[in-house]
Amino acid sequence: MKKLMKLSMLSSGLMALGIMASSGVNAQGACSVAYDTVNSWGNGGQYKVTITNNATAKTSWELCWSFAGNDTIPNLWDGVLTQTGKNVCVKNAPYNPNLAANGTATFGFLVNNPGTIPTAFTLNGAACGGNASSVASSTPSSVPTTSSSRSSTPTTSSRSSSSVSGAAARWLLDATNSTFNFVTVKKSTAGVETPESMTFSQLQGTVAANGQATLTIPLASISTGNVIRDPRMQNLLFESAYLPNLHFTTQLDLTA
C-alpha cells in the first residue's frame, strides 16, 4: 500500500469566498444515493454524492447515472470519472475500493451548466430507485478570509451564516482570486541552500452553514516553475494518482 506523504506548509494562502445556497436530494433502492448541492452559482455548481450500500459488501464500486441536460464534470475527487455525453460513471479511487454492507462512500465534483439533478442511479449495475427535486441557486458576493497551516489548526473568522432564497447560506472559494503557496529548500553540493516558492494552479474551498471550512487542493495541479520538476512532484512526492486531493479543514466561529 502506497505511503501517504505529510506536507509542511510554510506559508498561508488567501481565500476569497462568495455566498451560496445549498440543497440536497436522495435516491433509495438497492443502494441509497444522497446527491447534495454544496454550492450553486448559475452556470456552475459543486456537488457531493454519498453512496450507502444496502446489499452485500463490495471490494470495488462504480456508480453511474445520466444527466438530462448538457451538464459536464470538469473536476472530480475521491473517485475516477468517466463521462460520455450525458452518461457518467464514477469508480472508486485506488485508496477507497471497499464498500461494506450498510457502508458508505463519498466523492465530490464540479459541474458546468448544471440542470436537473439526476434521480436514477446504478451501483455496480444494480439499480437504485427514488425521486428527487430542487436545485438551489444564488448570486455570489465576495468576502476575503485567510487560512494557514494544515488540518484543524487555522484560526479564522467569517461573517455569520445567513439565508439566501430560504436556503442555508454557504461560502465558495473564488479560485481566480485565491492563491496557496509553500516553500521548499534546495541544497547544492556545495552546501548552499536556496528557498523556492511553489504553488498550485487549482483550488477549491467552501464554508458550510455550520461553519465548517474546507480547502481542497488537487495535487496534480502543482506548479513549481519547472516543467520537468512538476511531474516528479506529482508522482514521487504527492503520489497524486493514489491521493489526488489534499484537504484542509477547520471549524469557524460564526458568532465572530
Side-chain angles (χ1 to χ4, degrees):
M1 180 177 180
K2 291 281 185 175
K3 62 183 179 296
L4 303 182
M5 307 299 294
K6 291 185 178 180
L7 304 178
S8 177
M9 296 301 175
L10 303 181
S11 65
S12 63
L14 174 67
M15 294 192 293
L17 302 170
I19 191 168
M20 295 294 168
S22 69
S23 66
V25 297
N26 292 273
Q28 306 251 344
C31 62
S32 301
V33 178
Y35 191 114
D36 295 313
T37 305
V38 178
N39 287 291
S40 178
W41 57 93
N43 63 349
Q46 179 182 349
Y47 300 86
K48 175 183 177 182
V49 167
T50 301
I51 309 164
T52 300
N53 177 29
N54 297 331
T56 57
K58 296 171 175 58
T59 55
S60 65
W61 53 265
E62 181 180 45
L63 187 75
C64 297
W65 71 88
S66 296
F67 286 122
N70 297 317
D71 312 52
T72 58
I73 300 177
N75 196 2
L76 182 142
W77 49 95
D78 297 331
V80 179
L81 169 70
T82 301
Q83 180 170 8
T84 304
K86 300 178 185 296
N87 301 319
V88 176
C89 286
V90 178
K91 293 183 179 181
N92 60 270
Y95 54 85
N96 62 354
N98 296 321
L99 185 53
N102 299 315
T104 61
T106 302
F107 58 89
F109 53 95
L110 302 179
V111 174
N112 292 331
N113 305 311
T116 304
I117 289 179
T119 61
F121 303 87
T122 62
L123 178 62
N124 291 8
C128 301
N131 296 313
S133 62
S134 179
V135 178
S137 64
S138 65
T139 303
S141 62
S142 182
V143 175
T145 184
T146 59
S147 120
S148 63
S149 190
R150 190 173 184 216
S151 300
S152 59
T153 56
T155 56
T156 59
S157 65
S158 171
R159 292 193 303 189
S160 61
S161 174
S162 59
S163 63
V164 179
S165 302
R170 303 221 181 186
W171 300 91
L172 174 71
L173 182 141
D174 180 356
T176 303
N177 296 308
S178 302
T179 58
F180 188 94
N181 303 286
F182 67 97
V183 175
T184 63
V185 177
K186 179 170 63 178
K187 188 174 183 178
S188 70
T189 55
V192 178
E193 296 182 347
T194 304
E196 297 177 309
S197 178
M198 302 184 185
T199 189
F200 298 91
S201 61
Q202 298 179 31
L203 295 172
Q204 300 149 5
T206 60
V207 179
N210 64 1
Q212 179 174 309
T214 302
L215 172 64
T216 298
I217 303 175
L219 294 176
S221 72
I222 179 68
S223 178
T224 68
N226 185 317
V227 294
I228 296 176
R229 183 167 51 192
D230 286 351
R232 292 176 179 173
M233 294 284 282
Q234 293 172 17
N235 300 326
L236 301 179
L237 176 62
F238 297 134
E239 296 183 318
S240 58
Y242 293 88
L243 186 68
N245 298 289
L246 179 66
H247 303 283
F248 293 80
T249 61
T250 188
Q251 183 66 41
L252 304 184
D253 180 6
L254 296 180
T255 60

